[in-house]
Amino acid sequence: YIYRYIFVKKIPFNKLYVEPHPYLPFIYKKKFRGPQSTKLNYPIHSNYYAANLTTNNLRFFNGPNGDRDIIIPKPKNLIRITCIGASTTGTYLSLNNNNFSYPLELEKILKSKTDKNIEVNNCGQGGYNSADLLVRFLLQIVDTKPDYLIIYHAYNDIRSYLTPNFHSDYSHSRKNLGEIYWKFLIGSKIPDVPLNFINYLKNKWLPSNHRHSLIEVISKGKFNPKLNFHSGLKIYERNIQSMIDLCIKNKIKVVLCTYCFYLHKEIKSSSLHNLYKKIVIEENKVMKKLAKKNKVKLVDCFANISREDSNFVDSVHFTPKGMKLLSRNISKAIKI
């Protein structure tokens, strides 16, 4: 299917809110104001905006405005619940000046059930795969000493599964933002030309808006949907298991979730999207296997959230209604 090209307006280099990191492909800048709210070009719903947020002390968008800090050491008598994943966790939608994310909705549900001091933190990062989540959890998130870790993640590893010359550290398919950060600097200095074709070429070779090109510029290798993805699934399982092991060692309760994929009418006949759904279902089987093996909670979101337009803005990202359904399902696995 075909989308109308959306003109990509450049962002001044000093206003980019991502930067290189020595052990991750990229990371948000600390205590940094994100870009102004813009209308989002989702295929199912076009009435949502990206929220205008500021990052917190740990470089995440967390809390109602993004800037709520995660205090270390953890305050006494605080029940800390941490949500990790990629954009389906980290994404905020804005509608009528109200910001929505699934961790925000989960916090509301849990606080309505008790007078205890509860904090649900959003440690999701759009664009991350399971290897990135593992590194971030090991080097940073575990130090926040959460009582619960919610893992809602799939989909983003698939590109690495289906890139030739597979390596278990994903070095065959990923590179560091630092390798091409200079392109954003040069791209930001080139004036916007109000011609879509010129704008497309400029952003392809010299990107200047990371909201539209970040994943492309940190990817390498030629994607091949005909490759066998099972070697990748084993590494996905290893990465999730490693996080579970670290949680068990640190007495953190784990909640694993199956992942939702919606073949809406615009993509239901797409062979590529059907392949992605097939692989996501296999990733969900891994989650079920790991939950049983480690005797941790499993929330079967794929089975419990209906695939309909009112719940999704595209194949994987939720509307506020979908976020509330996801949160309601997850909340049942948390005993407070």
Side-chain angles (χ1 to χ4, degrees):
Y1 62 101
I2 299 173
Y3 286 131
R4 181 175 63 86
Y5 180 77
I6 301 298
F7 186 86
V8 178
K9 190 174 181 180
K10 70 177 182 179
I11 296 176
F13 187 72
N14 64 354
K15 292 189 177 180
L16 295 179
Y17 61 91
V18 295
E19 63 184 2
H21 183 280
Y23 307 116
L24 293 161
F26 65 90
I27 197 167
Y28 287 156
K29 295 177 180 176
K30 184 177 180 180
K31 297 281 189 178
F32 198 83
R33 188 78 168 177
Q36 293 296 312
S37 180
T38 55
K39 199 166 188 179
L40 296 167
N41 185 37
Y42 285 122
I44 302 176
H45 298 281
S46 59
N47 57 325
Y48 294 110
Y49 287 77
N52 186 212
L53 306 168
T54 300
T55 60
N56 70 356
N57 62 325
L58 297 185
R59 301 166 179 253
F60 292 107
F61 289 133
N62 182 51
N65 301 306
D67 59 353
R68 190 176 73 188
D69 289 342
I70 302 175
I71 305 301
I72 302 174
K74 185 177 71 174
K76 291 183 179 180
N77 301 317
L78 173 67
I79 300 173
R80 175 168 282 171
I81 299 156
T82 296
C83 304
I84 65 170
S87 59
T88 45
T89 299
T91 290
Y92 282 69
L93 296 181
S94 182
L95 182 65
N96 300 324
N97 295 317
N98 292 315
N99 292 339
F100 299 89
S101 73
Y102 109 67
L104 284 177
E105 298 304 317
L106 179 60
E107 186 173 84
K108 291 175 187 175
I109 291 170
L110 295 176
K111 284 189 171 182
S112 71
K113 295 181 177 181
T114 182
D115 292 329
K116 294 179 180 178
N117 189 13
I118 293 176
E119 173 185 274
V120 178
N121 290 312
N122 191 336
C123 291
Q125 175 64 70
Y128 274 15
N129 56 38
S130 65
D132 304 325
L133 294 177
L134 172 59
V135 171
R136 194 82 184 266
F137 183 67
L138 177 64
L139 297 183
Q140 184 184 49
I141 298 170
V142 71
D143 293 335
T144 68
K145 298 190 181 303
D147 297 284
Y148 282 87
L149 183 73
I150 316 298
I151 303 178
Y152 181 82
H153 180 75
Y155 187 84
N156 273 12
D157 291 60
I158 295 176
R159 185 165 187 161
S160 292
Y161 304 164
L162 299 177
T163 300
N165 303 313
F166 184 83
H167 285 71
S168 62
D169 61 358
Y170 290 173
S171 59
H172 68 295
S173 61
R174 299 279 267 196
K175 57 187 174 184
N176 193 283
L177 179 63
E179 296 179 46
I180 41 79
Y181 207 42
W182 60 272
K183 290 187 177 183
F184 284 91
L185 175 60
I186 296 175
S188 70
K189 296 181 181 298
I190 299 174
D192 283 331
V193 178
L195 295 172
N196 284 347
F197 180 66
I198 299 297
N199 182 257
Y200 167 78
L201 289 177
K202 193 266 281 189
N203 281 283
K204 181 176 178 62
W205 300 111
L206 291 171
S208 56
N209 188 321
H210 55 285
R211 296 182 73 168
H212 293 266
S213 57
L214 183 59
I215 303 306
E216 289 302 316
V217 300
I218 64 166
S219 298
K220 66 180 182 180
K222 189 173 182 179
F223 178 85
N224 183 355
K226 295 182 180 180
L227 292 178
N228 189 309
F229 56 82
H230 288 91
S231 293
L233 280 175
K234 291 177 182 178
I235 300 307
Y236 171 80
E237 179 177 343
R238 180 203 67 184
N239 292 342
I240 302 297
Q241 180 64 60
S242 294
M243 284 189 276
I244 295 171
D245 290 341
L246 197 59
C247 285
I248 292 172
K249 177 70 175 179
N250 287 275
K251 299 180 180 179
I252 300 167
K253 298 181 179 70
V254 180
V255 177
L256 301 180
C257 304
T258 59
Y259 195 84
C260 297
F261 192 98
Y262 177 37
L263 283 173
H264 55 85
K265 64 180 181 181
E266 289 193 37
I267 63 172
K268 63 182 179 181
S269 60
S270 163
S271 59
L272 182 60
H273 284 90
N274 275 276
L275 174 61
Y276 264 70
K277 180 182 178 181
K278 176 182 177 181
I279 300 175
V280 165
I281 289 172
E282 293 301 314
E283 290 175 323
N284 286 342
K285 290 178 182 177
V286 170
M287 283 294 193
K288 292 178 181 179
K289 173 185 174 183
L290 291 176
K292 184 176 181 180
K293 173 184 174 182
N294 296 281
K295 299 179 181 179
V296 301
K297 293 282 188 179
L298 175 79
V299 180
D300 196 351
C301 304
F302 184 84
N304 294 335
I305 298 176
S306 60
R307 264 76 76 195
E308 56 187 66
D309 285 4
S310 63
N311 292 334
F312 293 86
V313 295
D314 60 15
S315 60
V316 296
H317 296 97
F318 295 102
T319 61
K321 180 191 171 194
M323 291 174 180
K324 290 174 183 177
L325 287 172
L326 176 66
S327 302
R328 197 175 304 147
N329 276 277
I330 293 173
S331 70
K332 296 173 184 177
I334 300 172
K335 304 302 178 185
I336 51 177

